[in-house]
Amino acid sequence: MNELEAFRAAAQKKGMPDDAIDWWLRLARPCLYLEKDGSGPVVGHFGGTPSLPASVAWPDDTVHLASIDLAALPDGALDLDLPSDGTLVFFVTPEMPTYTGQVIHVPAGAAVAEAESPSGWDPYDRFPLHATPNWSLPERPSVTPGYTWGDRDDEPDYRSIVWSLGDEHDGDEVIVLGGHGLSNTGGLGVPVNEERGEVLLAEFFLNEEKVGDDFETDYATVYYTITRESLAAGRFAEVSVNADFHG
């Protein structure tokens, strides 16, 4: 059951009329769940060491989180203006709180070699990432352009349903590409300002099994955000990184 089906089922159980359900579902955005043990196509890998051109430096004081093969992503699965090919390589400083990270786009066909970390951080265990298309609903609809708190009387019911679906999130997803994002319990919320043209590029779900105690918490979420303008221009150096924790 995807997010749209789950919301509809929960809303109907709560007594929300079908026309109201349809109204709320129009806020949904497509996303891709990248899972360790999924059945979808392999689109990259978590952990290990990245492959980089000789001219591209591994960012100081960071660890490699994942490398995503853009050409392997299912067609039409995202509403992000990503390059059609090449590899997106995600780095982060493994400390909490952290606002330091970087995304590097390695063009298709570039000569690459396995890079060595300049910081001495041990690489995380490597495993493949399987992609499953899904949908994402905003936890706070007022962050979406054109909607203001109080526009609809049934917003409390909508938010209650979305939060309950978030509570059922089982953590199998290692990364979600695109969508509205899910908040953690540390109070940050989802750090995307859509009115400023920002979108969520990727959200990582990092537990102790994946990253040990590097983030000083048993469960951390790391958000990579970028403006649509920067994304369309391929300016990945302008990505912003935020992290939240289970607390």
Side-chain angles (χ1 to χ4, degrees):
M1 182 180 297
N2 65 29
E3 184 84 353
L4 300 189
E5 295 165 339
F7 179 89
R8 184 175 294 278
Q12 288 174 337
K13 186 175 182 180
K14 201 176 183 70
M16 184 180 288
D18 285 343
D19 61 342
I21 295 173
D22 292 339
W23 193 95
W24 285 112
L25 290 183
R26 72 183 183 84
L27 300 181
R29 290 182 54 206
C31 63
L32 272 176
Y33 283 21
L34 306 189
E35 302 165 312
K36 179 179 181 180
D37 299 316
S39 59
V42 173
V43 299
H45 63 90
F46 178 87
T49 53
S51 294
L52 297 174
S55 60
V56 176
W58 183 323
D60 287 339
D61 201 30
T62 66
V63 68
H64 169 244
L65 280 183
S67 292
I68 308 299
D69 179 1
L70 296 174
L73 299 181
D75 291 339
L78 295 170
D79 60 357
L80 299 176
D81 194 4
L82 289 165
S84 60
D85 54 25
T87 303
L88 282 188
V89 187
F90 291 83
F91 298 93
V92 71
T93 299
E95 296 172 345
M96 179 62 70
T98 177
Y99 302 99
T100 302
Q102 193 168 330
V103 177
I104 295 173
H105 177 236
V106 179
V112 297
E114 187 174 341
E116 293 186 6
S117 171
S119 307
W121 292 99
D122 291 332
Y124 300 133
D125 290 342
R126 174 172 170 150
F127 55 79
L129 293 167
H130 299 260
T132 301
N134 209 317
W135 291 89
S136 172
L137 287 162
E139 293 178 339
R140 292 187 300 121
S142 58
V143 304
T144 61
Y147 184 86
T148 303
W149 167 261
D151 282 356
R152 290 185 60 91
D153 293 339
D154 56 355
E155 180 173 342
D157 287 338
Y158 165 85
R159 293 177 62 153
S160 174
I161 294 167
V162 171
W163 284 341
S164 69
L165 295 179
D167 288 341
E168 296 172 5
H169 179 71
D170 56 18
D172 286 344
E173 301 79 25
V174 180
I175 308 167
V176 174
L177 297 180
H180 292 287
L182 291 167
S183 62
N184 207 334
T185 59
L188 174 67
V190 181
V192 180
N193 189 325
E194 295 194 27
E195 292 188 348
R196 289 205 302 257
E198 292 178 350
V199 291
L200 181 65
L201 176 61
E203 179 177 1
F204 285 72
F205 302 90
L206 305 176
N207 57 23
E208 292 176 304
E209 178 184 358
K210 302 182 187 82
V211 298
D213 59 0
D214 282 355
F215 287 81
E216 302 172 17
T217 179
D218 61 346
Y219 186 80
T221 46
V222 178
Y223 306 88
Y224 294 80
T225 62
I226 189 171
T227 67
R228 286 194 179 273
E229 179 182 358
S230 296
L231 182 59
R235 298 194 297 265
F236 290 98
E238 298 175 11
V239 162
S240 296
V241 178
N242 284 275
D244 203 2
F245 59 92
H246 180 253

